[in-house]
Amino acid sequence: MINGAAELPMKRFLLIALLAAPCTAAALDGVSLEAGRGNGQTDLLRVGLQWRGHTKWFEGSSWRIAHYIDLTLGGWYNGEDTVYDLGLTPVFRFERSAGSPYFEAAIGFHAVSNLEFQRNRETSTRFQFGDHIGVGFLHGRYDIGLRLQHLSNGGIRDPNPGINFVLLRVRYELP
């Protein structure tokens, strides 16, 4: 780790997640589970909560741009250490009605528990930007998608190695 910086305990991350979650749980629109693989054979498992935003229909078309907020908590495991990740991401999706494909893109904010992602691969900040592009399919209340995600500090400070993930995501829309 850089300069012996102490790891944030999981309890702090859970507390931050509880404080970051909107108080209006009734407005919760969906839950998700993501699993994937990243650089250096790093495995990722993440859970999420989603809140729907504004949807814009294109006049004379069955396509729309949907927006939602994604609050996630997960962990990356590289065979030796686990890095915990708390993220808040506004996502924009180009979609049709249920039973059709979609395309999405997002740039969000993440806090990570460790500065060392892998052996000899360190970042200089716990704050990371997380961007992704994805494709998927809507089927009833279910959403199955594939994402390519990149996390880095955006050049705020060096070192900034970043990490890339390929993720499979399953989401269930609450009634």
Side-chain angles (χ1 to χ4, degrees):
M1 302 208 26
I2 297 175
N3 297 331
E7 293 182 22
L8 287 177
M10 183 61 181
K11 289 180 184 178
R12 281 191 193 170
F13 265 74
L14 291 175
L15 178 61
I16 292 169
L18 290 173
L19 294 174
C23 296
T24 57
L28 181 66
D29 295 308
V31 294
S32 64
L33 177 65
E34 296 175 62
R37 171 96 12 141
N39 300 100
Q41 298 182 354
T42 301
D43 294 321
L44 178 144
L45 188 60
R46 187 185 286 158
V47 295
L49 305 173
Q50 295 82 39
W51 290 267
R52 247 187 320 241
H54 180 71
T55 299
K56 167 72 172 131
W57 286 92
F58 292 100
E59 194 170 323
S61 172
S62 61
W63 287 92
R64 63 185 175 195
I65 293 182
H67 168 259
Y68 66 91
I69 299 295
D70 197 12
L71 176 65
T72 59
L73 179 64
W76 323 338
Y77 181 70
N78 63 15
E80 297 176 10
D81 298 310
T82 300
V83 175
Y84 296 101
D85 167 13
L86 175 66
L88 185 64
T89 306
V91 180
F92 294 91
R93 181 181 282 183
F94 190 55
E95 66 183 15
R96 294 176 77 177
S97 59
S100 67
Y102 65 80
F103 310 94
E104 68 179 21
I107 298 176
F109 309 101
H110 292 255
V112 295
S113 62
N114 300 10
L115 295 175
E116 186 174 21
F117 292 166
Q118 298 153 347
R119 183 178 301 204
N120 299 323
R121 191 163 182 195
E122 299 174 343
T123 186
S124 56
T125 62
R126 293 191 193 282
F127 173 80
Q128 302 286 301
F129 291 102
D131 52 43
H132 79 259
I133 56 171
V135 296
F137 191 80
L138 299 169
H139 183 72
R141 293 192 177 280
Y142 292 94
D143 167 347
I144 299 170
L146 184 66
R147 289 181 170 178
L148 300 175
Q149 184 172 43
H150 173 75
L151 287 114
S152 75
N153 70 23
I156 294 172
R157 193 177 323 152
D158 287 327
N160 180 30
I163 189 166
N164 298 309
F165 290 100
V166 175
L167 303 168
L168 178 63
R169 180 174 183 262
V170 177
R171 178 179 180 270
Y172 177 73
E173 185 176 320
L174 300 172

